[in-house]
Amino acid sequence: QVQLVESGGGVVQPGKSLRLSCATSGFIFSHFGMHWVRQAPGKGLEWVAFILYDGTKEYYADSVKGRFTISRDTSKNTLYLQMSSLRAEDTAVYYCARELLGPSRMDVWGQGTTVTVSS
Amino acid sequence: SELTQDPAVSVALGQTVRITCQGDSLRNYYASWYQQKPGQAPLLVIDGKNNRPSGIPDRFSGSSSGNTASLTITGAQAEDEADYYCNSRDSSGNRLVFLFGPGTRVTV
């Protein structure tokens, strides 16, 4: 079955970097755009980044632009989020989600990985 | 651009509740709706063409008009108690963003 499994979360100091991974299975990874969405403690969902199915285009929320980089490795069926210059406000559960078109929606989500930015 | 939702609604067991989402992006793009229960990942319940993923009960339906999208639960059940988020894309020129509403907490 279609599955997304995030990993790489943890506790990190402000200003440091962290890389999240999202291992996918059960579908042809190279056919789908992919998202990262986060949720701060007790808050709502916030879209973070999106990458096209072929990796040719990336889009970011203003809150992370210039600090975060989304990427994908088709040979490993894995999505990544490289996070740098981390701030306390980046503390959240980070979810990866698959994009389905016609119309656009996020039809499959991972279980999330928790990132805590604290000194 | 942003999406707005009522913070909370309550519905009696077996009754009908409508959750609305407003935003300029909805004039050009469809909204999708996600259910989230405590400690769980979001779950797609309705897409912009009122299609339900496999396993989502048919008591969930969606509609839209102008800048407003709606999610209706007809005959709400106890297990429908959750937070519900609307989502749409928005674009201008080369810029593409995806928006989430602030969420509506549904109490049954």
Side-chain angles (χ1 to χ4, degrees):
Chain A
Q1 75 279 25
V2 176
Q3 198 169 12
L4 308 177
V5 179
E6 301 94 337
S7 61
V11 180
V12 61
Q13 293 179 329
K16 300 294 188 181
S17 300
L18 198 64
R19 189 179 80 160
L20 305 182
S21 300
C22 170
T24 75
S25 59
F27 66 101
I28 302 174
F29 180 60
S30 62
H31 286 191
F32 293 87
M34 297 292 297
H35 295 271
W36 285 100
V37 176
R38 69 184 180 183
Q39 187 169 35
K43 302 298 184 182
L45 301 175
E46 179 189 15
W47 171 75
V48 173
F50 173 67
I51 187 168
L52 286 181
Y53 69 100
D54 57 2
T56 57
K57 286 271 192 180
E58 306 149 28
Y59 302 90
Y60 298 93
D62 287 344
S63 58
V64 306
K65 196 175 297 182
R67 300 187 301 121
F68 289 12
T69 301
I70 188 172
S71 63
R72 61 194 300 158
D73 185 335
T74 299
S75 68
K76 296 181 179 179
N77 293 328
T78 300
L79 176 74
Y80 301 101
L81 185 68
Q82 178 68 47
M83 305 184 295
S84 60
S85 302
L86 282 162
R87 307 166 180 167
E89 53 265 35
D90 296 318
T91 295
V93 176
Y94 285 74
Y95 298 99
C96 59
R98 187 178 77 169
E99 166 81 0
L100 205 58
L101 294 176
S104 170
R105 70 267 197 201
M106 301 175 194
D107 71 322
V108 182
W109 295 65
Q111 85 290 347
T113 188
T114 301
V115 174
T116 303
V117 183
S118 173
S119 55
Chain B
S1 187
E2 62 177 17
L3 299 176
T4 60
Q5 297 180 242
D6 290 333
V9 296
S10 61
V11 58
L13 189 67
Q15 296 304 300
T16 296
V17 62
R18 172 181 282 185
I19 306 163
T20 61
C21 173
Q22 289 188 304
D24 288 340
S25 64
L26 301 180
R27 297 186 184 278
N28 299 309
Y29 297 100
Y30 290 108
S32 50
W33 289 90
Y34 303 85
Q35 176 193 71
Q36 188 180 36
K37 298 179 180 179
Q40 296 185 16
L43 176 70
L44 174 68
V45 293
I46 281 283
D47 71 22
K49 290 189 175 180
N50 197 24
N51 295 314
R52 287 172 284 103
S54 174
I56 301 300
D58 61 5
R59 61 180 178 270
F60 289 90
S61 62
S63 63
S64 68
S65 177
N67 72 334
T68 302
S70 301
L71 172 69
T72 300
I73 309 174
T74 304
Q77 301 300 302
E79 59 265 32
D80 301 333
E81 189 162 288
D83 294 327
Y84 291 85
Y85 296 91
C86 60
N87 163 253
S88 83
R89 58 169 59 192
D90 195 13
S91 69
S92 62
N94 291 325
R95 178 168 173 73
L96 173 65
V97 296
F98 293 81
L99 308 171
F100 281 98
T104 297
R105 176 152 296 176
V106 173
T107 302
V108 181

